[in-house]
Amino acid sequence: MTAPDDGDRGDRDDRRTLAVIMHTAFFVLLGASLARFLLRHPGEPRTPWVVALSVLLAALYVLGPALGARLTARRLAWLAAVVAGWAVLVVLAPSFAWSAVPLFYTGLRTLPARAAVALVALLTALAVAAQLQLAGWADPNVLLAPPAVAAVATAVFVAMERQANRQRELIDDLVRTRRDLAATERREGTLAERERLAREIHDTLAQGLSSQRMLLQAADRLWETDPASARTHVRTAASIAESNLAEARRFVHDLTPADLAGGGGLEQALRAVADRESGGGLTVRVHTEGTPGAPLPALVESALLRIAQGALANVREHAGASTATVTLTCLDDQIVLDVADDGRGFDPGDPRGTDPTTAPAATTAQAAPASPAAPASPAAAGRGHGLPAIRARLRQLGGTLTVESAPGEGTVVSAAIPLEPPS
């Protein structure tokens, strides 16, 4: 699809080309008319006047482009002077009538539609009268041909102007729609990220703070009567506080990718994530294929690292997998991150699961319950709110998210982000 800026540039180029052709045609016709007059009427008393008016008209016409195409008082005065000079020349030498054709374009381009049509009619009438004077009789071809040419030229120009105006309006609408869509997507991504963080905070920090509050209240009530139980409650509250501190640090880590701060690049950061996720029956491997032609933008590296973190967390919690493989593929025009696991998988077409074609960003974690008979745990039911943010993040970078899975055959999550070609 042609970009709006390209369409505007093409329209301007077409107008500029047409203007150059018409200006050139005017000077060619003016010069040819003057040459014809000098060859046929040498030494006549009117010859100096015709030559002087021709030079003056040419000089006056040259000033036109400097005044612009917009209808202003100066532009209108210039057009009136050019038409008047041409009319005097036609009266003195009827052969100058052919110079009216480029003036049709000048009038149509400068004046409103009705005024331009009236000017074209006036120029055509003067041209017909001049040609009849040259012919010496009422030649039907002279009477009908110039009006027909003027009518066709006017109709074509007006139709092209209307089409160009409609195209500009459509391009303006398209630009506004794109801006509105981009703003909407940014808002959706922001809201999705806020929802994810709100649920994560509620399920960890808020619940932990609530438990600490109850334990400390219980310890306060038992402090005098049962000091041992009170101390137990305090120690339990301290343990919960320590766990909440670890969760808070994890949130900070997720919001600011510390793995990328060391300067080792995306591959080293992915290996660090894989090392942390490995263990407890799950082995995570990292493979890379190819190298980017230029350093990756920070936004692209951060997005791919977050996607890998979220996908591996889902694999650990929901896929029942023993092995997961993270593959980073650098192509000429895009970079692709694949996270594949050998877990239980799911059927993307099963209406009871998650349809990756309609969900914001389906992954194994959304679609695969722990077992067919066992209900999802509360933790599992509350998961998956980072997936819309993943899809929104990819959309902001012009990327796509693809999920491939089948029952018993594992799942592959693939995120592709286009890259600017190296200069």
Side-chain angles (χ1 to χ4, degrees):
M1 180 179 178
T2 302
D5 290 343
D6 295 338
D8 290 342
R9 191 179 302 110
D11 183 55
R12 290 193 298 268
D13 291 342
D14 292 342
R15 286 174 171 270
R16 189 179 299 112
T17 301
L18 182 58
V20 170
I21 292 174
M22 288 299 175
H23 296 334
T24 304
F26 177 81
F27 289 110
V28 169
L29 292 173
L30 185 64
S33 300
L34 179 60
R36 183 181 186 276
F37 177 81
L38 293 176
L39 290 174
R40 288 178 174 267
H41 307 281
E44 291 189 5
R46 57 178 174 165
T47 299
W49 292 101
V50 171
V51 173
L53 277 174
S54 298
V55 174
L56 179 61
L57 182 60
L60 189 61
Y61 193 87
V62 169
L63 299 177
L67 299 177
R70 298 182 60 184
L71 181 58
T72 61
R74 295 176 60 186
R75 177 77 174 178
L76 189 60
W78 169 84
L79 180 60
V82 170
V83 172
W86 172 82
V88 173
L89 271 177
V90 171
V91 172
L92 293 176
S95 59
F96 283 88
W98 287 107
S99 301
V101 176
L103 293 181
F104 290 168
Y105 167 78
T106 303
L108 290 169
R109 187 168 177 242
T110 303
L111 299 174
R114 293 185 179 180
V117 171
L119 177 61
V120 169
L122 175 61
L123 296 176
T124 304
L126 290 175
V128 170
Q131 293 300 310
L132 288 176
Q133 183 180 350
L134 286 176
W137 66 290
D139 188 346
N141 189 45
V142 173
L143 286 172
L144 299 178
V149 171
V152 171
T154 303
V156 170
F157 184 87
V158 171
M160 290 177 60
E161 281 294 299
R162 290 178 177 175
Q163 182 178 1
N165 290 334
R166 286 195 295 267
Q167 183 178 6
R168 282 192 292 269
E169 292 175 357
L170 290 175
I171 289 175
D172 292 340
D173 291 341
L174 177 60
V175 171
R176 285 193 296 270
T177 301
R178 283 184 173 182
R179 290 174 180 170
D180 294 342
L181 181 59
T184 300
E185 290 179 348
R186 285 194 295 270
R187 286 194 297 270
E188 289 178 353
T190 301
L191 292 175
E193 187 72 8
R194 288 177 179 176
E195 182 181 356
R196 181 187 74 84
L197 290 175
R199 188 172 294 276
E200 290 282 351
I201 291 172
H202 173 269
D203 292 343
T204 55
L205 298 181
Q207 294 289 357
L209 291 172
S210 177
S211 299
Q212 293 175 53
R213 177 173 176 271
M214 289 187 295
L215 288 168
L216 292 175
Q217 288 177 342
D220 182 62
R221 289 193 300 267
L222 297 175
W223 195 261
E224 299 294 339
T225 59
D226 192 353
S229 298
R231 292 189 182 91
T232 300
H233 290 328
V234 171
R235 286 193 293 269
T236 304
S239 176
I240 295 174
E242 183 179 358
S243 176
N244 280 2
L245 179 59
E247 289 291 341
R249 287 172 176 168
R250 183 178 67 85
F251 291 150
V252 173
H253 171 78
D254 289 341
L255 292 174
T256 55
D259 293 317
L260 292 174
L266 179 59
E267 180 180 354
Q268 182 175 334
L270 289 174
R271 295 189 184 279
V273 172
D275 291 340
R276 286 198 302 270
E277 293 294 337
S278 295
L282 176 64
T283 301
V284 181
R285 301 185 179 94
V286 176
H287 296 292
T288 58
E289 299 180 4
T291 57
L296 294 176
L299 288 177
V300 173
E301 289 188 337
S302 177
L304 291 174
L305 182 61
R306 299 286 174 78
I307 292 170
Q309 289 174 335
L312 290 175
N314 286 333
V315 169
R316 169 174 292 282
E317 296 182 23
H318 304 288
S322 60
T323 302
T325 302
V326 179
T327 303
L328 184 67
T329 305
C330 299
L331 304 176
D332 292 337
D333 58 346
Q334 64 177 347
I335 185 165
V336 182
L337 177 73
D338 297 322
V339 180
D341 66 73
D342 60 355
R344 60 178 59 88
F346 66 98
D347 181 6
D350 188 352
R352 295 173 300 176
T354 300
D355 185 356
T357 64
T358 59
T363 63
T364 304
Q366 279 185 294
S371 66
S377 65
R383 295 287 302 175
H385 290 270
L387 300 175
I390 292 176
R391 175 63 59 84
R393 196 191 317 275
L394 285 171
R395 280 201 303 265
Q396 292 173 0
L397 296 174
T400 57
L401 183 66
T402 305
V403 177
E404 298 179 2
S405 184
E409 297 184 7
T411 302
V412 178
V413 178
S414 180
I417 299 177
L419 298 176
E420 292 291 335
S423 57

